[in-house]
Amino acid sequence: MNGFLWTLATSDVTLAALGILILAAAVVGYFPIVSSIPALKGYVTAARIAVLLFVGAAAFLIGFRVADDRAEAAALREKIASAEGVIRMKNAEIRITQQMAEQADAERKAAAQRAKDAQDEINAYAERLKARPNAACLLTSDDFSGGVRNDARR
């Protein structure tokens, strides 16, 4: 409610009405042609005081409005800076995620190549076994990757 009252007091309509009151009081209090009218002679002093009060009130309300606008602009700048920080963090996360995806893709390709090489080696080994005259189980030492250990037990 308090914010509503200050918004109402510093609105354009209120400030325009205050300006009209300042103008009317200034005309009655400071223009000799108008102040010499017999019906307004009793209001000249009151009009002069009203001009000073209305100008003071207008200055106060305009100052409050400017200060409020500045505070709102500062809050918006802070909000924008915070949003930009979040955007920078998200962009960094996106770059890291892209790098991780590229690395995972490279590792997947390397694993696929190793699997293909292993399958080619298996296929070549199978062809060598088929090419032997007796496929019963004639393994040689080159059939084992580390060779066969000769411990003289044969």
Side-chain angles (χ1 to χ4, degrees):
M1 185 72 174
N2 191 22
F4 172 73
L5 292 177
W6 279 113
T7 302
L8 182 65
T10 59
S11 68
D12 292 336
V13 174
T14 303
L15 292 176
L18 194 56
I20 291 171
L21 286 174
I22 290 170
L23 183 63
V27 167
V28 171
Y30 292 102
F31 288 105
I33 295 175
V34 177
S35 61
S36 64
I37 297 174
L40 298 177
K41 277 189 179 188
Y43 296 106
V44 171
T45 305
R48 288 181 178 174
I49 293 171
V51 167
L52 296 176
L53 291 175
F54 290 155
V55 167
F60 173 74
L61 293 175
I62 290 171
F64 185 83
R65 182 173 175 176
V66 168
D68 191 39
D69 289 346
R70 284 183 183 170
E72 185 177 348
L76 288 174
R77 279 192 294 274
E78 184 177 320
K79 197 174 193 179
I80 289 170
S82 174
E84 287 174 349
V86 168
I87 290 170
R88 278 193 302 272
M89 282 185 3
K90 293 298 179 185
N91 285 340
E93 288 177 7
I94 288 171
R95 281 193 305 276
I96 290 170
T97 303
Q98 286 173 339
Q99 290 171 352
M100 289 173 63
E102 289 170 0
Q103 183 180 0
D105 189 47
E107 289 176 7
R108 182 194 56 80
K109 286 179 182 177
Q113 183 62 40
R114 285 192 308 269
K116 182 185 176 299
D117 292 344
Q119 187 61 45
D120 290 345
E121 188 177 327
I122 291 170
N123 292 342
Y125 181 66
E127 291 299 319
R128 281 196 324 243
L129 286 177
K130 286 180 187 176
R132 292 192 180 159
N134 183 2
C137 186
L138 298 175
L139 296 175
T140 61
S141 63
D142 66 332
D143 291 330
F144 301 98
S145 62
V148 177
R149 194 176 75 178
N150 185 4
D151 58 359
R153 291 188 190 176
R154 289 192 207 202

